Amino acid sequence: STSITAGDTMTYSVVISNASNQTVTNGTFADVIPAGLTYVAATATVTPAGGNAINVSGANVSATIASLASNASVTLVWDVTIDTPLVDNDSNPNQEVFTNQGTIDSDQTVPKLTDADGIPGNGNQPTQFTAVASGAGRWAAPQSGPCRGCSTRTTGCGPPLHDRLHPQRLWALSS
């Protein structure tokens, strides 16, 4: 089904890529799961795991990335369930737009927001998707980012290191 409805499970993926020519150390990721979504216990993973960790406590997601080599990436994944009944934060009980944006930092970079489309040149958009109450109809297309598999986008040469750590985030309806 292409509908996103209350009760569905969504998979959230963050791909953090180091597009610089040097190793990045002591990376941190922080995010807050939006109201109306509930973390699915024991679904948080980090790949590769060696020296990296992810933790979810309540609605707070945090990760540590010990070291990220040049042109390497780390993927963080966790599942959430859309609460039933659907949360109503916008005075429309039949649909809700969920907007979310995390932050990444390291010893060599400045804090940076996650980017829904992974294209460094057009800014860092939050990820959004619209869910409808069960039986309320079809969902609106995701805004500021596609619901698809993750891809890592980097550029060859260009901005200084503090602009080269690219966190990309995407939502996808779990099968």
Side-chain angles (χ1 to χ4, degrees):
S1 167
T2 58
S3 297
I4 298 175
T5 60
D8 282 346
T9 299
M10 300 290 287
T11 296
Y12 181 52
S13 300
V14 178
V15 177
I16 302 169
S17 302
N18 179 0
S20 75
N21 60 2
Q22 61 185 195
T23 298
V24 175
T25 57
N26 297 317
T28 59
F29 171 81
D31 197 1
V32 177
I33 297 170
L37 303 176
T38 301
Y39 171 67
V40 177
T43 61
T45 61
V46 58
T47 307
N52 304 316
I54 186 169
N55 181 54
V56 181
S57 178
N60 297 305
V61 180
S62 61
T64 55
I65 302 159
S67 179
L68 190 58
S70 175
N71 296 310
S73 64
V74 169
T75 302
L76 310 173
V77 176
W78 65 92
D79 290 349
V80 296
T81 299
I82 302 168
D83 294 350
T84 302
L86 188 64
V87 68
D88 183 14
N89 292 321
D90 60 2
S91 299
N92 182 348
N94 292 319
Q95 75 174 23
E96 187 66 32
V97 177
F98 292 95
T99 302
N100 190 263
Q101 194 163 35
T103 305
I104 185 77
D105 197 6
S106 76
D107 286 350
Q108 293 75 24
T109 61
V110 296
K112 186 170 186 171
L113 296 173
T114 55
D115 185 8
D117 67 6
I119 301 171
N122 68 358
N124 297 335
Q125 304 84 21
T127 300
Q128 295 180 324
F129 70 89
T130 301
V132 296
S134 296
R138 295 181 59 83
W139 62 289
Q143 300 87 27
S144 299
C147 270
R148 58 174 167 71
C150 294
S151 63
T152 303
R153 293 186 170 101
T154 59
T155 56
C157 54
L161 177 61
H162 70 272
D163 287 334
R164 302 301 300 273
L165 190 61
H166 301 301
Q168 179 184 4
R169 56 183 286 146
L170 302 167
W171 288 100
L173 186 61
S174 296
S175 52

